[in-house]
Amino acid sequence: EIVMTQSPATLSVSPGERATLSCRASQSVSSNLAWFQQKPGQAPRLLIYGASTRATGIPARFSGSGSGTEFTLTISSLQSEDFAVYYCQQYIDWWTFGQGTKVEIK
Amino acid sequence: EVQLVESGGDLVQPGGSLRLSCVASGFTFSTYWMHWVRQAPGTGLVCLALINTDGSSTKYADSVKGRFTISRDNAKDTLFLQINSLRPEDTARYYCATAAGHWGRGTLVTVSS
């Protein structure tokens, strides 16, 4: 099974600042990598697929990069509605998720 | 608008069974592979099972193999998950999801005596 590891576990950021989240795969997943946002009591929401393609309706402040085993989600200027938990997911072989990064208000 | 609505979650005793359902609308259900994913309280996401478009191929996580069965009825745009021999560690919110990234709101399964 491909293991996904996210860092940091918690990221404290002030509104308007940039947030950078990392995700590492235990073996290459090529570009078969997605990012999800989850708020309390809600289902995960797809932000990015194919490592760098924004899903429909996702603001341009969200961007993804990377391929192979190293990936990054960048939120260019955090808005109040962006404070949530973010998960990376590989889908080249089964589905496995990282343990999540909580983005909290500093 | 794409919608996935899960139901069937309940409080059950260890050893019990449940059948979860997921009704799809707003897209051509029969053309999508479908997944069940669960999230135990305060933890992350774990994929449990997947099924291909016509139901002829399925795959399961090792942790649920032999106890869980995924199936679908394309005529009724509905996905199912039969869960047997429930254990306390199966307590979680269960989501259905498409391979295109659409998720339902989930249904809560609690296993406790």
Side-chain angles (χ1 to χ4, degrees):
Chain A
E1 178 178 290
I2 299 174
V3 177
M4 307 301 292
T5 304
Q6 292 185 241
S7 61
T10 304
L11 188 61
S12 298
V13 186
S14 299
E17 288 188 340
R18 181 186 193 94
T20 303
L21 291 66
S22 297
C23 175
R24 173 177 293 177
S26 60
Q27 63 190 76
S28 177
V29 300
S30 187
S31 294
N32 296 286
L33 190 286
W35 289 95
F36 289 84
Q37 176 194 69
Q38 188 177 33
K39 297 180 180 179
Q42 296 186 18
R45 173 194 181 198
L46 178 66
L47 300 175
I48 301 284
Y49 64 92
S52 60
T53 302
R54 278 190 301 278
T56 302
I58 302 304
R61 64 180 181 273
F62 291 91
S63 63
S65 62
S67 66
T69 62
E70 300 284 343
F71 300 90
T72 300
L73 174 70
T74 302
I75 311 171
S76 60
S77 176
L78 270 158
Q79 306 298 302
S80 57
E81 61 267 30
D82 300 335
F83 293 97
V85 179
Y86 292 82
Y87 294 96
C88 62
Q89 176 215 37
Q90 67 80 19
Y91 51 90
I92 194 172
D93 177 26
W94 188 239
W95 280 7
T96 53
F97 298 85
Q99 78 279 20
T101 291
K102 181 180 181 180
V103 177
E104 64 177 24
I105 300 174
K106 186 173 182 181
Chain B
E1 178 193 3
V2 171
Q3 277 202 312
L4 296 167
V5 180
E6 301 93 336
S7 62
D10 204 350
L11 170 62
V12 295
Q13 293 190 340
S17 296
L18 281 175
R19 190 190 198 202
L20 307 184
S21 299
C22 167
V23 177
S25 60
F27 66 104
T28 307
F29 177 73
S30 61
T31 64
Y32 283 82
W33 288 54
M34 295 296 297
H35 296 71
W36 284 100
V37 177
R38 75 180 176 190
Q39 186 171 35
T43 69
L45 301 162
V46 177
C47 185
L48 303 174
L50 66 84
I51 188 167
N52 69 346
T53 55
D54 65 3
S56 61
S57 179
T58 59
K59 186 176 178 180
Y60 299 90
D62 288 344
S63 59
V64 304
K65 205 173 293 183
R67 294 193 300 127
F68 289 19
T69 303
I70 188 172
S71 61
R72 67 192 297 162
D73 184 341
N74 286 341
K76 295 183 178 179
D77 292 341
T78 304
L79 178 73
F80 302 100
L81 185 68
Q82 178 69 41
I83 311 175
N84 298 329
S85 304
L86 277 158
R87 306 166 180 168
E89 55 265 35
D90 294 320
T91 294
R93 180 164 291 272
Y94 287 70
Y95 297 97
C96 64
T98 74
H102 302 110
W103 292 56
R105 298 178 67 88
T107 187
L108 185 61
V109 173
T110 304
V111 184
S112 174
S113 55

PDB file of all heavy atoms in Angstrom, chain A residues 29-60:
ATOM      1  N   VAL A  29       3.649   8.262  -7.429  1.00  0.00           N
ATOM      2  CA  VAL A  29       2.251   8.221  -7.852  1.00  0.00           C
ATOM      3  C   VAL A  29       2.063   9.036  -9.126  1.00  0.00           C
ATOM      4  O   VAL A  29       0.934   9.346  -9.513  1.00  0.00           O
ATOM      5  CB  VAL A  29       1.294   8.708  -6.738  1.00  0.00           C
ATOM      6  CG1 VAL A  29       1.427   7.815  -5.499  1.00  0.00           C
ATOM      7  CG2 VAL A  29       1.545  10.171  -6.379  1.00  0.00           C
ATOM      8  N   SER A  30       3.190   9.387  -9.758  1.00  0.00           N
ATOM      9  CA  SER A  30       3.149  10.249 -10.943  1.00  0.00           C
ATOM     10  C   SER A  30       2.393  11.534 -10.601  1.00  0.00           C
ATOM     11  O   SER A  30       2.751  12.195  -9.622  1.00  0.00           O
ATOM     12  CB  SER A  30       2.514   9.499 -12.109  1.00  0.00           C
ATOM     13  OG  SER A  30       2.605  10.253 -13.294  1.00  0.00           O
ATOM     14  N   SER A  31       1.356  11.874 -11.340  1.00  0.00           N
ATOM     15  CA  SER A  31       0.545  13.061 -11.002  1.00  0.00           C
ATOM     16  C   SER A  31      -0.835  12.676 -10.492  1.00  0.00           C
ATOM     17  O   SER A  31      -1.767  13.484 -10.522  1.00  0.00           O
ATOM     18  CB  SER A  31       0.413  13.961 -12.235  1.00  0.00           C
ATOM     19  OG  SER A  31       1.660  14.499 -12.592  1.00  0.00           O
ATOM     20  N   ASN A  32      -0.983  11.441 -10.033  1.00  0.00           N
ATOM     21  CA  ASN A  32      -2.276  10.940  -9.559  1.00  0.00           C
ATOM     22  C   ASN A  32      -2.492  11.327  -8.098  1.00  0.00           C
ATOM     23  O   ASN A  32      -2.591  10.466  -7.202  1.00  0.00           O
ATOM     24  CB  ASN A  32      -2.354   9.425  -9.758  1.00  0.00           C
ATOM     25  CG  ASN A  32      -2.304   9.036 -11.220  1.00  0.00           C
ATOM     26  OD1 ASN A  32      -3.269   9.213 -11.950  1.00  0.00           O
ATOM     27  ND2 ASN A  32      -1.145   8.553 -11.649  1.00  0.00           N
ATOM     28  N   LEU A  33      -2.573  12.618  -7.863  1.00  0.00           N
ATOM     29  CA  LEU A  33      -2.615  13.169  -6.522  1.00  0.00           C
ATOM     30  C   LEU A  33      -3.703  14.230  -6.449  1.00  0.00           C
ATOM     31  O   LEU A  33      -3.813  15.084  -7.335  1.00  0.00           O
ATOM     32  CB  LEU A  33      -1.246  13.767  -6.180  1.00  0.00           C
ATOM     33  CG  LEU A  33      -0.891  14.235  -4.760  1.00  0.00           C
ATOM     34  CD1 LEU A  33      -1.560  15.548  -4.375  1.00  0.00           C
ATOM     35  CD2 LEU A  33      -1.188  13.165  -3.714  1.00  0.00           C
ATOM     36  N   ALA A  34      -4.525  14.135  -5.413  1.00  0.00           N
ATOM     37  CA  ALA A  34      -5.593  15.108  -5.193  1.00  0.00           C
ATOM     38  C   ALA A  34      -5.450  15.718  -3.804  1.00  0.00           C
ATOM     39  O   ALA A  34      -4.852  15.126  -2.906  1.00  0.00           O
ATOM     40  CB  ALA A  34      -6.964  14.436  -5.327  1.00  0.00           C
ATOM     41  N   TRP A  35      -6.027  16.905  -3.662  1.00  0.00           N
ATOM     42  CA  TRP A  35      -6.108  17.581  -2.363  1.00  0.00           C
ATOM     43  C   TRP A  35      -7.575  17.827  -2.041  1.00  0.00           C
ATOM     44  O   TRP A  35      -8.350  18.245  -2.902  1.00  0.00           O
ATOM     45  CB  TRP A  35      -5.376  18.914  -2.410  1.00  0.00           C
ATOM     46  CG  TRP A  35      -3.888  18.823  -2.479  1.00  0.00           C
ATOM     47  CD1 TRP A  35      -3.111  18.856  -3.601  1.00  0.00           C
ATOM     48  CD2 TRP A  35      -2.968  18.719  -1.381  1.00  0.00           C
ATOM     49  NE1 TRP A  35      -1.776  18.771  -3.269  1.00  0.00           N
ATOM     50  CE2 TRP A  35      -1.662  18.690  -1.913  1.00  0.00           C
ATOM     51  CE3 TRP A  35      -3.127  18.657   0.010  1.00  0.00           C
ATOM     52  CZ2 TRP A  35      -0.522  18.592  -1.113  1.00  0.00           C
ATOM     53  CZ3 TRP A  35      -2.004  18.562   0.817  1.00  0.00           C
ATOM     54  CH2 TRP A  35      -0.711  18.526   0.259  1.00  0.00           C
ATOM     55  N   PHE A  36      -7.925  17.589  -0.784  1.00  0.00           N
ATOM     56  CA  PHE A  36      -9.279  17.821  -0.294  1.00  0.00           C
ATOM     57  C   PHE A  36      -9.236  18.763   0.907  1.00  0.00           C
ATOM     58  O   PHE A  36      -8.282  18.757   1.685  1.00  0.00           O
ATOM     59  CB  PHE A  36      -9.933  16.508   0.156  1.00  0.00           C
ATOM     60  CG  PHE A  36     -10.286  15.579  -0.963  1.00  0.00           C
ATOM     61  CD1 PHE A  36      -9.344  14.715  -1.491  1.00  0.00           C
ATOM     62  CD2 PHE A  36     -11.566  15.578  -1.500  1.00  0.00           C
ATOM     63  CE1 PHE A  36      -9.666  13.852  -2.533  1.00  0.00           C
ATOM     64  CE2 PHE A  36     -11.896  14.722  -2.540  1.00  0.00           C
ATOM     65  CZ  PHE A  36     -10.943  13.855  -3.053  1.00  0.00           C
ATOM     66  N   GLN A  37     -10.305  19.525   1.051  1.00  0.00           N
ATOM     67  CA  GLN A  37     -10.516  20.367   2.226  1.00  0.00           C
ATOM     68  C   GLN A  37     -11.689  19.803   2.999  1.00  0.00           C
ATOM     69  O   GLN A  37     -12.704  19.433   2.402  1.00  0.00           O
ATOM     70  CB  GLN A  37     -10.839  21.799   1.781  1.00  0.00           C
ATOM     71  CG  GLN A  37     -11.178  22.762   2.900  1.00  0.00           C
ATOM     72  CD  GLN A  37     -11.811  24.034   2.345  1.00  0.00           C
ATOM     73  OE1 GLN A  37     -12.925  24.033   1.838  1.00  0.00           O
ATOM     74  NE2 GLN A  37     -11.086  25.140   2.445  1.00  0.00           N
ATOM     75  N   GLN A  38     -11.558  19.723   4.319  1.00  0.00           N
ATOM     76  CA  GLN A  38     -12.677  19.267   5.132  1.00  0.00           C
ATOM     77  C   GLN A  38     -12.877  20.194   6.323  1.00  0.00           C
ATOM     78  O   GLN A  38     -11.947  20.454   7.082  1.00  0.00           O
ATOM     79  CB  GLN A  38     -12.482  17.834   5.624  1.00  0.00           C
ATOM     80  CG  GLN A  38     -13.723  17.265   6.314  1.00  0.00           C
ATOM     81  CD  GLN A  38     -13.576  15.824   6.744  1.00  0.00           C
ATOM     82  OE1 GLN A  38     -12.500  15.373   7.112  1.00  0.00           O
ATOM     83  NE2 GLN A  38     -14.679  15.075   6.682  1.00  0.00           N
ATOM     84  N   LYS A  39     -14.096  20.678   6.457  1.00  0.00           N
ATOM     85  CA  LYS A  39     -14.472  21.484   7.614  1.00  0.00           C
ATOM     86  C   LYS A  39     -15.288  20.629   8.568  1.00  0.00           C
ATOM     87  O   LYS A  39     -15.878  19.618   8.152  1.00  0.00           O
ATOM     88  CB  LYS A  39     -15.261  22.711   7.144  1.00  0.00           C
ATOM     89  CG  LYS A  39     -14.446  23.634   6.246  1.00  0.00           C
ATOM     90  CD  LYS A  39     -15.263  24.829   5.794  1.00  0.00           C
ATOM     91  CE  LYS A  39     -14.412  25.720   4.892  1.00  0.00           C
ATOM     92  NZ  LYS A  39     -15.177  26.890   4.397  1.00  0.00           N
ATOM     93  N   PRO A  40     -15.335  21.003   9.855  1.00  0.00           N
ATOM     94  CA  PRO A  40     -16.053  20.196  10.844  1.00  0.00           C
ATOM     95  C   PRO A  40     -17.490  19.905  10.418  1.00  0.00           C
ATOM     96  O   PRO A  40     -18.228  20.817  10.019  1.00  0.00           O
ATOM     97  CB  PRO A  40     -15.997  21.071  12.099  1.00  0.00           C
ATOM     98  CG  PRO A  40     -14.765  21.878  11.925  1.00  0.00           C
ATOM     99  CD  PRO A  40     -14.677  22.169  10.458  1.00  0.00           C
ATOM    100  N   GLY A  41     -17.866  18.643  10.500  1.00  0.00           N
ATOM    101  CA  GLY A  41     -19.222  18.235  10.195  1.00  0.00           C
ATOM    102  C   GLY A  41     -19.561  18.199   8.721  1.00  0.00           C
ATOM    103  O   GLY A  41     -20.723  17.981   8.354  1.00  0.00           O
ATOM    104  N   GLN A  42     -18.557  18.387   7.860  1.00  0.00           N
ATOM    105  CA  GLN A  42     -18.806  18.400   6.421  1.00  0.00           C
ATOM    106  C   GLN A  42     -18.017  17.286   5.730  1.00  0.00           C
ATOM    107  O   GLN A  42     -17.036  16.770   6.255  1.00  0.00           O
ATOM    108  CB  GLN A  42     -18.420  19.745   5.816  1.00  0.00           C
ATOM    109  CG  GLN A  42     -19.245  20.908   6.321  1.00  0.00           C
ATOM    110  CD  GLN A  42     -18.921  22.193   5.585  1.00  0.00           C
ATOM    111  OE1 GLN A  42     -18.345  22.199   4.506  1.00  0.00           O
ATOM    112  NE2 GLN A  42     -19.327  23.321   6.187  1.00  0.00           N
ATOM    113  N   ALA A  43     -18.468  16.950   4.535  1.00  0.00           N
ATOM    114  CA  ALA A  43     -17.749  15.989   3.710  1.00  0.00           C
ATOM    115  C   ALA A  43     -16.495  16.641   3.132  1.00  0.00           C
ATOM    116  O   ALA A  43     -16.433  17.878   2.995  1.00  0.00           O
ATOM    117  CB  ALA A  43     -18.641  15.493   2.585  1.00  0.00           C
ATOM    118  N   PRO A  44     -15.504  15.842   2.777  1.00  0.00           N
ATOM    119  CA  PRO A  44     -14.356  16.399   2.064  1.00  0.00           C
ATOM    120  C   PRO A  44     -14.783  17.042   0.750  1.00  0.00           C
ATOM    121  O   PRO A  44     -15.699  16.561   0.078  1.00  0.00           O
ATOM    122  CB  PRO A  44     -13.474  15.168   1.823  1.00  0.00           C
ATOM    123  CG  PRO A  44     -13.865  14.198   2.882  1.00  0.00           C
ATOM    124  CD  PRO A  44     -15.338  14.411   3.068  1.00  0.00           C
ATOM    125  N   ARG A  45     -14.085  18.113   0.409  1.00  0.00           N
ATOM    126  CA  ARG A  45     -14.366  18.854  -0.823  1.00  0.00           C
ATOM    127  C   ARG A  45     -13.116  18.807  -1.698  1.00  0.00           C
ATOM    128  O   ARG A  45     -12.037  19.176  -1.239  1.00  0.00           O
ATOM    129  CB  ARG A  45     -14.715  20.294  -0.482  1.00  0.00           C
ATOM    130  CG  ARG A  45     -14.875  21.267  -1.658  1.00  0.00           C
ATOM    131  CD  ARG A  45     -14.885  22.687  -1.125  1.00  0.00           C
ATOM    132  NE  ARG A  45     -15.052  23.705  -2.135  1.00  0.00           N
ATOM    133  CZ  ARG A  45     -14.755  24.981  -1.955  1.00  0.00           C
ATOM    134  NH1 ARG A  45     -14.279  25.385  -0.791  1.00  0.00           N
ATOM    135  NH2 ARG A  45     -14.949  25.846  -2.926  1.00  0.00           N
ATOM    136  N   LEU A  46     -13.273  18.390  -2.937  1.00  0.00           N
ATOM    137  CA  LEU A  46     -12.138  18.290  -3.844  1.00  0.00           C
ATOM    138  C   LEU A  46     -11.654  19.681  -4.237  1.00  0.00           C
ATOM    139  O   LEU A  46     -12.429  20.508  -4.714  1.00  0.00           O
ATOM    140  CB  LEU A  46     -12.530  17.499  -5.092  1.00  0.00           C
ATOM    141  CG  LEU A  46     -11.460  17.351  -6.174  1.00  0.00           C
ATOM    142  CD1 LEU A  46     -10.281  16.510  -5.663  1.00  0.00           C
ATOM    143  CD2 LEU A  46     -12.058  16.743  -7.436  1.00  0.00           C
ATOM    144  N   LEU A  47     -10.355  19.915  -4.044  1.00  0.00           N
ATOM    145  CA  LEU A  47      -9.744  21.186  -4.429  1.00  0.00           C
ATOM    146  C   LEU A  47      -8.915  21.043  -5.712  1.00  0.00           C
ATOM    147  O   LEU A  47      -9.027  21.851  -6.630  1.00  0.00           O
ATOM    148  CB  LEU A  47      -8.812  21.686  -3.319  1.00  0.00           C
ATOM    149  CG  LEU A  47      -9.383  21.958  -1.945  1.00  0.00           C
ATOM    150  CD1 LEU A  47      -8.259  22.313  -0.988  1.00  0.00           C
ATOM    151  CD2 LEU A  47     -10.419  23.071  -2.005  1.00  0.00           C
ATOM    152  N   ILE A  48      -8.050  20.039  -5.712  1.00  0.00           N
ATOM    153  CA  ILE A  48      -7.044  19.863  -6.750  1.00  0.00           C
ATOM    154  C   ILE A  48      -7.019  18.392  -7.159  1.00  0.00           C
ATOM    155  O   ILE A  48      -7.106  17.501  -6.298  1.00  0.00           O
ATOM    156  CB  ILE A  48      -5.639  20.236  -6.236  1.00  0.00           C
ATOM    157  CG1 ILE A  48      -5.572  21.683  -5.744  1.00  0.00           C
ATOM    158  CG2 ILE A  48      -4.562  19.940  -7.282  1.00  0.00           C
ATOM    159  CD1 ILE A  48      -5.526  22.727  -6.832  1.00  0.00           C
ATOM    160  N   TYR A  49      -6.897  18.125  -8.451  1.00  0.00           N
ATOM    161  CA  TYR A  49      -6.647  16.774  -8.933  1.00  0.00           C
ATOM    162  C   TYR A  49      -5.554  16.826  -9.987  1.00  0.00           C
ATOM    163  O   TYR A  49      -5.195  17.922 -10.463  1.00  0.00           O
ATOM    164  CB  TYR A  49      -7.933  16.121  -9.494  1.00  0.00           C
ATOM    165  CG  TYR A  49      -8.504  16.807 -10.701  1.00  0.00           C
ATOM    166  CD1 TYR A  49      -8.159  16.417 -11.989  1.00  0.00           C
ATOM    167  CD2 TYR A  49      -9.388  17.875 -10.560  1.00  0.00           C
ATOM    168  CE1 TYR A  49      -8.679  17.055 -13.092  1.00  0.00           C
ATOM    169  CE2 TYR A  49      -9.918  18.520 -11.658  1.00  0.00           C
ATOM    170  CZ  TYR A  49      -9.564  18.102 -12.934  1.00  0.00           C
ATOM    171  OH  TYR A  49     -10.079  18.743 -14.024  1.00  0.00           O
ATOM    172  N   GLY A  50      -5.015  15.668 -10.309  1.00  0.00           N
ATOM    173  CA  GLY A  50      -3.892  15.653 -11.256  1.00  0.00           C
ATOM    174  C   GLY A  50      -2.718  16.462 -10.756  1.00  0.00           C
ATOM    175  O   GLY A  50      -1.937  16.994 -11.542  1.00  0.00           O
ATOM    176  N   ALA A  51      -2.608  16.580  -9.445  1.00  0.00           N
ATOM    177  CA  ALA A  51      -1.531  17.296  -8.736  1.00  0.00           C
ATOM    178  C   ALA A  51      -1.619  18.808  -8.839  1.00  0.00           C
ATOM    179  O   ALA A  51      -1.181  19.512  -7.920  1.00  0.00           O
ATOM    180  CB  ALA A  51      -0.144  16.829  -9.182  1.00  0.00           C
ATOM    181  N   SER A  52      -2.202  19.333  -9.941  1.00  0.00           N
ATOM    182  CA  SER A  52      -2.132  20.785 -10.131  1.00  0.00           C
ATOM    183  C   SER A  52      -3.370  21.400 -10.772  1.00  0.00           C
ATOM    184  O   SER A  52      -3.390  22.626 -10.993  1.00  0.00           O
ATOM    185  CB  SER A  52      -0.914  21.144 -10.994  1.00  0.00           C
ATOM    186  OG  SER A  52      -1.001  20.529 -12.249  1.00  0.00           O
ATOM    187  N   THR A  53      -4.384  20.617 -11.076  1.00  0.00           N
ATOM    188  CA  THR A  53      -5.588  21.148 -11.729  1.00  0.00           C
ATOM    189  C   THR A  53      -6.652  21.458 -10.691  1.00  0.00           C
ATOM    190  O   THR A  53      -7.060  20.576  -9.922  1.00  0.00           O
ATOM    191  CB  THR A  53      -6.139  20.137 -12.747  1.00  0.00           C
ATOM    192  OG1 THR A  53      -5.130  19.833 -13.713  1.00  0.00           O
ATOM    193  CG2 THR A  53      -7.364  20.712 -13.449  1.00  0.00           C
ATOM    194  N   ARG A  54      -7.086  22.711 -10.675  1.00  0.00           N
ATOM    195  CA  ARG A  54      -8.148  23.077  -9.728  1.00  0.00           C
ATOM    196  C   ARG A  54      -9.483  22.477 -10.165  1.00  0.00           C
ATOM    197  O   ARG A  54      -9.841  22.494 -11.343  1.00  0.00           O
ATOM    198  CB  ARG A  54      -8.285  24.608  -9.642  1.00  0.00           C
ATOM    199  CG  ARG A  54      -7.280  25.263  -8.718  1.00  0.00           C
ATOM    200  CD  ARG A  54      -7.646  26.736  -8.492  1.00  0.00           C
ATOM    201  NE  ARG A  54      -7.672  27.481  -9.746  1.00  0.00           N
ATOM    202  CZ  ARG A  54      -6.598  27.974 -10.336  1.00  0.00           C
ATOM    203  NH1 ARG A  54      -5.405  27.809  -9.790  1.00  0.00           N
ATOM    204  NH2 ARG A  54      -6.719  28.633 -11.478  1.00  0.00           N
ATOM    205  N   ALA A  55     -10.227  21.971  -9.182  1.00  0.00           N
ATOM    206  CA  ALA A  55     -11.564  21.456  -9.451  1.00  0.00           C
ATOM    207  C   ALA A  55     -12.509  22.622  -9.756  1.00  0.00           C
ATOM    208  O   ALA A  55     -12.204  23.795  -9.474  1.00  0.00           O
ATOM    209  CB  ALA A  55     -12.063  20.652  -8.260  1.00  0.00           C
ATOM    210  N   THR A  56     -13.659  22.296 -10.297  1.00  0.00           N
ATOM    211  CA  THR A  56     -14.639  23.317 -10.668  1.00  0.00           C
ATOM    212  C   THR A  56     -15.018  24.181  -9.469  1.00  0.00           C
ATOM    213  O   THR A  56     -15.340  23.660  -8.392  1.00  0.00           O
ATOM    214  CB  THR A  56     -15.903  22.646 -11.228  1.00  0.00           C
ATOM    215  OG1 THR A  56     -15.543  21.841 -12.348  1.00  0.00           O
ATOM    216  CG2 THR A  56     -16.922  23.692 -11.649  1.00  0.00           C
ATOM    217  N   GLY A  57     -14.946  25.489  -9.652  1.00  0.00           N
ATOM    218  CA  GLY A  57     -15.383  26.411  -8.614  1.00  0.00           C
ATOM    219  C   GLY A  57     -14.366  26.713  -7.531  1.00  0.00           C
ATOM    220  O   GLY A  57     -14.664  27.481  -6.612  1.00  0.00           O
ATOM    221  N   ILE A  58     -13.188  26.145  -7.625  1.00  0.00           N
ATOM    222  CA  ILE A  58     -12.157  26.396  -6.609  1.00  0.00           C
ATOM    223  C   ILE A  58     -11.410  27.687  -6.929  1.00  0.00           C
ATOM    224  O   ILE A  58     -10.938  27.860  -8.054  1.00  0.00           O
ATOM    225  CB  ILE A  58     -11.182  25.200  -6.524  1.00  0.00           C
ATOM    226  CG1 ILE A  58     -11.943  23.913  -6.196  1.00  0.00           C
ATOM    227  CG2 ILE A  58     -10.094  25.479  -5.486  1.00  0.00           C
ATOM    228  CD1 ILE A  58     -12.770  23.965  -4.923  1.00  0.00           C
ATOM    229  N   PRO A  59     -11.298  28.574  -5.940  1.00  0.00           N
ATOM    230  CA  PRO A  59     -10.637  29.868  -6.191  1.00  0.00           C
ATOM    231  C   PRO A  59      -9.174  29.719  -6.605  1.00  0.00           C
ATOM    232  O   PRO A  59      -8.507  28.758  -6.214  1.00  0.00           O
ATOM    233  CB  PRO A  59     -10.734  30.579  -4.831  1.00  0.00           C
ATOM    234  CG  PRO A  59     -11.844  29.906  -4.106  1.00  0.00           C
ATOM    235  CD  PRO A  59     -11.835  28.489  -4.578  1.00  0.00           C
ATOM    236  N   ALA A  60      -8.706  30.701  -7.341  1.00  0.00           N
ATOM    237  CA  ALA A  60      -7.347  30.663  -7.874  1.00  0.00           C
ATOM    238  C   ALA A  60      -6.275  30.773  -6.792  1.00  0.00           C
ATOM    239  O   ALA A  60      -5.097  30.512  -7.062  1.00  0.00           O
ATOM    240  CB  ALA A  60      -7.163  31.784  -8.904  1.00  0.00           C
TER     241      ALA A  60
END
